Amino acid sequence: MYIQQAFKSLHEWWRYLVGFIIIFIASQIGSIPLLIAVMFKKLSGGENVYSIDEKELLTTLSSNLTLFLMLLSFAIGLLAVYLVVRFLHKQPFVELTTSRKKTDWGRVFFGFGLITVTTLVVTILDYYSNPDDYVLQFDLVPFLILAVIAIIMIPLQTSFEEYLFRGYLMQGIGVLAKNRWLPLIITSVVFGGLHLANPEVDKLGNVIMIYYIGTGFFLGIMTLMDEGMELALGFHAGNNLITALLVTADWTVFKTNSIFKDISEPSAGFDVVAPVLILYPIFLFIMAWRYKWRDWGGKLFGKVEEPIVLTEENNPNSTFIE
């Protein structure tokens, strides 16, 4: 069982508290290079560097350099997760990834392919249905630079978020609360809440939090039902990567040299909740059919019990060789 993997390692509550603090500090340290680069650019132009806001932080440098430096903090955060798990918890990293003996890369690529194909089809249909909403901005050299940065760095960004929320915190809260529903709720709400600072929230309003929190629940359900993070790792990476390469907009957190630019005026209507209410249930149905998920109630709401280690005292009928 996925959450029970944590029982095999050091899982005292204080270790998760210390580990989370270490990971948070590491990710904040990782954001310093972006701030330094922006300050240097402004100083070289004789501008004031004492009141840099979030918009300036994301628009002062070229979009490719900004993307790389922004994603660098996630890469450092992922390294911190690995070090905390290996040395503070003495846990093999594969046990944070899955309940299987080794990572199932077929599941990773299935999750990646499912959202990639869906995004391509939906975007192409929307482009031909509403051509005035898009501008073709393809520029070969900047796009190739973007592709290299995105292919390397975005999977690190999404893996950090998955290993932190669907992995480290899911297991940590689960072994402490001794159930599955509480870590699912907490990790999903916190995951969504961390997107409050995204420019999409300013543009569309707080209603978009339905999408972010709903995505957290979707990825969490996927992890618990499949007893591992592989599908979530692939899905999250595919979603962010294909979006960064395919379509950008002035009001999104990823402003990239993508193929298209969406110039339509966004609205916080049904489009915001459609993925949560329609697409995500369909995706879960497809995954459940492919991987033969059973016992939804037990896997989402059941207890998390520490495995019993058989000894001579609690298993008197066994034979022990001296």
Side-chain angles (χ1 to χ4, degrees):
M1 307 292 281
Y2 176 66
I3 291 180
Q4 287 178 307
Q5 298 279 85
F7 283 119
K8 301 178 183 178
S9 306
L10 303 176
H11 56 276
E12 295 87 352
W13 68 268
W14 64 265
R15 293 182 187 273
Y16 286 99
L17 177 60
V18 172
F20 180 78
I21 293 173
I22 292 173
I23 294 166
F24 175 77
I25 292 174
S27 64
Q28 296 306 301
I29 291 174
S31 65
I32 292 176
L34 174 59
L35 179 60
I36 291 175
V38 170
M39 292 177 64
F40 181 80
K41 178 72 177 293
K42 285 187 166 295
L43 282 172
S44 64
E47 299 181 53
N48 179 25
V49 298
Y50 297 105
S51 59
I52 298 176
D53 57 26
E54 183 179 357
K55 182 178 180 180
E56 291 176 307
L57 199 63
L58 298 177
T59 58
T60 298
L61 307 174
S62 69
S63 62
N64 280 335
L65 180 57
T66 298
L67 180 66
F68 173 78
L69 293 175
M70 183 170 62
L71 296 177
L72 183 62
S73 65
F74 295 93
I76 294 175
L78 180 60
L79 176 61
V81 173
Y82 175 80
L83 294 176
V84 164
V85 169
R86 291 292 290 114
F87 297 104
L88 183 60
H89 294 272
K90 307 295 184 182
Q91 183 182 29
F93 207 59
V94 68
E95 292 183 1
L96 187 67
T97 307
T98 182
S99 60
R100 289 166 274 275
K101 293 183 179 180
K102 60 181 181 179
T103 301
D104 186 343
W105 288 100
R107 279 173 154 84
V108 175
F109 290 119
F110 181 80
F112 184 95
L114 183 63
I115 186 58
T116 297
V117 172
T118 302
T119 302
L120 284 172
V121 170
V122 170
T123 302
I124 291 172
L125 290 175
D126 191 53
Y127 174 75
Y128 282 104
S129 300
N130 305 285
D132 293 339
D133 290 346
Y134 295 89
V135 170
L136 180 65
Q137 62 168 19
F138 180 74
D139 191 348
L140 181 60
V141 174
F143 178 80
L144 290 177
I145 296 173
L146 165 65
V148 172
I149 294 172
I151 291 171
I152 295 173
M153 299 298 292
I154 285 181
L156 297 179
Q157 174 243 328
T158 56
S159 294
F160 166 67
E161 293 182 356
E162 290 309 306
Y163 274 107
L164 177 59
F165 289 100
R166 259 63 65 180
Y168 189 68
L169 294 179
M170 183 77 79
Q171 286 191 351
I173 298 170
V175 298
L176 296 175
K178 300 295 194 299
N179 63 53
R180 290 166 169 261
W181 60 267
L182 187 61
L184 174 61
I185 292 174
I186 292 177
T187 58
S188 301
V189 173
V190 174
F191 172 79
L194 289 180
H195 291 79
L196 270 171
N198 284 15
E200 291 92 334
V201 179
D202 289 335
K203 187 70 175 181
L204 298 174
N206 290 333
V207 68
I208 197 174
M209 296 307 297
I210 296 174
Y211 168 75
Y212 288 129
I213 295 175
T215 299
F217 273 102
F218 168 64
L219 294 168
I221 291 171
M222 192 189 306
T223 298
L224 292 178
M225 289 303 304
D226 202 50
E227 298 290 1
M229 288 172 46
E230 293 100 330
L231 289 170
L233 285 168
F235 187 96
H236 200 165
N239 180 75
N240 287 23
L241 179 60
I242 196 66
T243 300
L245 295 176
L246 193 59
V247 182
T248 190
D250 289 335
W251 46 271
T252 60
V253 66
F254 282 172
K255 301 176 182 65
T256 65
N257 292 296
S258 57
I259 298 174
F260 295 104
K261 182 177 181 180
D262 185 347
I263 59 172
S264 65
E265 184 63 26
S267 61
F270 184 69
D271 291 346
V272 173
V273 297
V276 177
L277 299 180
I278 300 175
L279 285 181
Y280 289 171
I282 293 174
F283 289 151
L284 288 175
F285 174 81
I286 293 172
M287 293 174 184
W289 170 78
R290 178 174 175 82
Y291 295 109
K292 298 178 173 58
W293 291 348
R294 299 289 185 273
D295 188 23
W296 287 73
K299 289 187 175 181
L300 297 180
F301 305 102
K303 295 181 180 180
V304 174
E305 298 177 343
E306 186 168 2
I308 298 175
V309 178
L310 294 180
T311 64
E312 189 172 5
E313 287 74 19
N314 61 29
N315 188 23
N317 294 324
S318 64
T319 301
F320 289 85
I321 299 175
E322 295 291 339

